[in-house]
Amino acid sequence: MFSIDGPLWRALNFIADVMILHFLWLFHSLPVFTIGASTTALYYAMMKRIRTNEGQITSNFRRSFKENFRQSTIYWLIVVAVGVILWLDLNFCFTWGGIAGKVMLAGCSLLLVPCWMVLLYLFPVQAKFTGTLYGNFKNALLMSVRHLPLTLLLTVIWATVWLLLATFPPFMGLMLISGAGLIAWITAYIYIQVFRTYLPDELREDQRRTDNEFFHRD
């Protein structure tokens, strides 16, 4: 149990990796406009860590950050622009009031749904697949619709995080030291499950690796 290959040591290593990825994401997000690239790198490193159990999280993070910087930054700027427009529209609807304001409010609220669905998948898709700007946007939307139960589960996870932040102060401390890594760890399992639908070779590779590890431990 206390050996280097034992469950306790592996668990402690993984906890350390989650915290390291959190601070890597935080540091690389400081310029703000790089949040898209750092989020892409976060999911790339976390999904690879979960799948292969390798410990090269820092090098994986930095490599993905460099390779996806341009496209992920464009995604992030688009996300910010759309968010600002929707926020202004919603504020205008509340200010306007009346029937017209309610109609516009309903329309803006409906737009929030597909925007949120795309946002859930956009950066993990960028981390996993090579594609054009339009192609990855389209794939993010199609995956969110095709795997709707998992999309709803992701939404519940994020809603739970925000609820705990608002109602349970100790949770804020946990988020300060491991927040980004913790959320990436929880949600990465869902993205891996989704992406395996489109990457059958990866599924076979993961199964073969799991079998080899099982027999090696025996």
Side-chain angles (χ1 to χ4, degrees):
M1 179 177 179
F2 295 99
S3 67
I4 293 179
D5 294 327
L8 178 61
W9 186 257
R10 291 201 302 271
L12 291 175
N13 271 338
F14 193 82
I15 292 172
D17 287 345
V18 168
M19 295 177 67
I20 290 171
L21 281 176
H22 165 70
F23 286 106
L24 282 171
W25 177 87
L26 200 61
F27 176 77
H28 287 78
S29 297
L30 286 178
V32 180
F33 73 90
T34 59
I35 290 178
S38 59
T39 303
T40 299
L42 172 68
Y43 275 106
Y44 175 84
M46 180 57 75
M47 288 190 288
K48 196 169 183 63
R49 175 67 171 83
I50 292 172
R51 287 185 52 248
T52 65
N53 201 33
E54 68 176 32
Q56 302 174 6
I57 55 170
T58 302
S59 59
N60 286 334
F61 183 98
R62 289 176 176 168
R63 182 171 66 251
S64 177
F65 184 86
K66 292 178 181 178
E67 291 177 353
N68 296 287
F69 180 82
R70 177 181 174 275
Q71 198 156 323
S72 295
T73 301
I74 295 174
Y75 286 146
W76 175 244
L77 294 177
I78 293 173
V79 167
V80 172
V82 172
V84 169
I85 292 172
L86 287 174
W87 181 79
L88 291 174
D89 285 344
L90 288 172
N91 276 273
F92 179 75
C93 293
F94 284 117
T95 303
W96 194 358
I99 297 177
K102 292 180 179 178
V103 171
M104 288 187 64
L105 179 61
C108 290
S109 300
L110 288 176
L111 283 175
L112 289 174
V113 175
C115 289
W116 171 250
M117 293 171 71
V118 170
L119 182 60
L120 281 174
Y121 285 81
L122 184 58
F123 296 108
V125 166
Q126 175 66 24
K128 194 65 180 178
F129 300 95
T130 301
T132 62
L133 285 168
Y134 171 74
N136 280 347
F137 259 115
K138 182 183 72 173
N139 290 335
L141 177 59
L142 293 176
M143 288 181 187
S144 67
V145 174
R146 181 179 181 184
H147 304 277
L148 188 58
L150 294 178
T151 302
L152 293 175
L153 177 58
L154 288 168
T155 302
V156 169
I157 291 171
W158 276 103
T160 302
V161 169
W162 287 109
L163 180 63
L164 287 174
L165 284 172
T167 60
F168 189 57
F171 187 70
M172 176 65 75
L174 178 64
M175 295 298 287
L176 288 175
I177 62 173
S178 63
L182 182 62
I183 295 173
W185 170 50
I186 296 171
T187 57
Y189 285 96
I190 299 174
Y191 293 122
I192 291 172
Q193 186 66 32
V194 170
F195 297 156
R196 279 175 173 172
T197 305
Y198 311 95
L199 300 168
D201 291 339
E202 183 178 285
L203 175 58
R204 288 191 291 269
E205 178 185 342
D206 290 348
Q207 289 175 337
R208 183 165 57 251
R209 185 183 298 109
T210 301
D211 292 341
N212 290 337
E213 290 177 355
F214 175 78
F215 288 116
H216 177 70
R217 286 197 296 269
D218 285 350

